[in-house]
Amino acid sequence: MSTEPPPSPVYHDARLADINRYSRRAFTKIGEALDLDDQGKTNLAKRKYQEGLAELTKGLAIDCAAQDCTGSDWEKARALSKKMQHNKSQIEDRLRALASVKPK
Amino acid sequence: SSTITSTPEGQVEHLMAEVADEHGLELNMELGANAVPTGTTSVANKEQDELTARLAALRQNTD
C-alpha cells in the first residue's frame, strides 16, 4: 500500500528532470563537503567536493540552449545551469586551495 | 516480487533503491523520469544559491 502523492504538474521533458536531479544531488554532496571543510576534515571534504563536482558536470552536460528549449521551465533551467557553472568554478578554486593545505 | 533473487537485475534495483534513499530521492525513473514536480527547479535554484553563499563565506574566512 502506498500513499499517492497529490497530482502535480510534471515536466514533459526528461532533460529538465535530469538537470534538477543532478543539481539536487550536487547540493547534497557539496553541502556535506562544506560541513566537513568547516570541521577541518580536509581529505573527506575533498572527496565530497569531487563527488559534487561530478554531479554538477553531469547536469551541465545537458544542453539548455537547444532550439526546442523554450518556455518558462527552460528559462528556469538555464538560470539553474548558470548557478551550477558558477558553483563548479568556486569548488574548483576551493579544491586548488585545499591541495596546498597539508593534512593534519 | 516477494522472492529474494540473486539476479543482477534484482541487485541493481536494490542498489538503486539504496542510493535513492541515501539522497532522499523518489525512485521515479522507471515510472517516468518526467514525473518531477514543477516546484523542483525553484527548489534547485534556491539550493544552488545557498551553495554559492556558503562557498563565498568560506572564501572570505580563508583569505
Side-chain angles (χ1 to χ4, degrees):
Chain A
M1 201 184 86
S2 64
T3 315
E4 285 295 316
S8 58
V10 296
Y11 292 130
H12 298 289
D13 194 312
R15 290 171 298 176
L16 286 166
D18 282 344
I19 293 171
N20 279 314
R21 185 157 43 236
Y22 292 130
S23 169
R24 306 206 60 190
R25 280 189 200 168
F27 173 74
T28 307
K29 301 274 189 197
I30 297 159
E32 287 169 8
L34 285 160
D35 290 340
L36 290 162
D37 206 346
D38 287 341
Q39 295 160 24
K41 297 176 182 167
T42 308
N43 280 335
L44 290 171
K46 278 189 213 167
R47 200 182 310 164
K48 283 286 172 189
Y49 279 131
Q50 294 285 6
E51 288 173 14
L53 269 187
E55 299 296 340
L56 287 179
T57 304
K58 284 186 238 174
L60 288 166
I62 299 160
D63 183 9
C64 287
Q67 274 197 334
D68 62 333
C69 299
T70 54
S72 62
D73 281 344
W74 278 110
E75 305 245 327
K76 280 189 230 164
R78 276 191 285 276
L80 178 59
S81 187
K82 228 178 236 179
K83 290 174 188 178
M84 287 163 72
Q85 182 64 60
H86 177 76
N87 287 336
K88 185 174 178 247
S89 60
Q90 294 294 300
I91 292 162
E92 283 163 350
D93 284 351
R94 184 60 186 163
L95 279 171
R96 272 191 288 275
L98 288 178
S100 57
V101 175
K102 289 268 186 299
K104 283 171 198 158
Chain B
S1 118
S2 61
T3 322
I4 297 169
T5 64
S6 57
T7 58
E9 286 96 327
Q11 286 172 11
V12 167
E13 266 173 33
H14 181 74
L15 266 174
M16 281 173 70
E18 258 185 14
V19 171
D21 283 347
E22 209 180 302
H23 299 286
L25 296 169
E26 298 269 338
L27 243 199
N28 57 7
M29 296 94 129
E30 288 166 19
L31 305 172
N34 309 338
V36 171
T38 324
T40 309
T41 311
S42 307
V43 175
N45 263 287
K46 284 198 192 100
E47 287 175 344
Q48 292 298 324
D49 286 342
E50 194 184 315
L51 291 181
T52 305
R54 287 192 70 185
L55 285 159
L58 193 66
R59 241 183 138 87
Q60 283 194 332
N61 289 339
T62 45
D63 273 350

